[in-house]
Amino acid sequence: MRTTLDLPEDLLNQAMQVTNIRTKTKVITVALEELVRRSKISALKKFKGKVDLDIDLDVLRDRK
């Protein structure tokens, strides 16, 4: 999809430099993917200690 954006040039250049990504499109795509990934991880952390998985890892890993 084509979109016109007004981005701070220094911020975009800095992002390209620290990630070693050479194109503006790719660095923006990577940044959006990372934002989504972090958001999903944050949502999963809300379940920490709240899900009881009745699993015996020794049986699962064929340990006796």
Side-chain angles (χ1 to χ4, degrees), residues 1-54:
M1 164 177 40
R2 287 192 156 275
T3 304
T4 301
L5 301 170
D6 185 18
L7 301 170
E9 188 174 349
D10 58 328
L11 183 60
L12 188 57
N13 289 334
Q14 187 178 3
M16 292 172 72
Q17 192 173 40
V18 299
T19 59
N20 293 320
I21 296 174
R22 295 182 180 198
T23 66
K24 293 175 184 177
T25 300
K26 183 65 178 174
V27 79
I28 292 169
T29 301
V30 168
L32 291 172
E33 289 170 346
E34 180 65 14
L35 179 67
V36 170
R37 185 186 73 81
R38 287 182 182 207
S39 178
K40 287 179 179 180
I41 289 171
S42 179
L44 286 174
K45 286 181 179 179
K46 293 177 185 175
F47 292 105
K48 183 179 179 182
K50 296 186 180 184
V51 178
D52 183 23
L53 301 175
D54 190 25

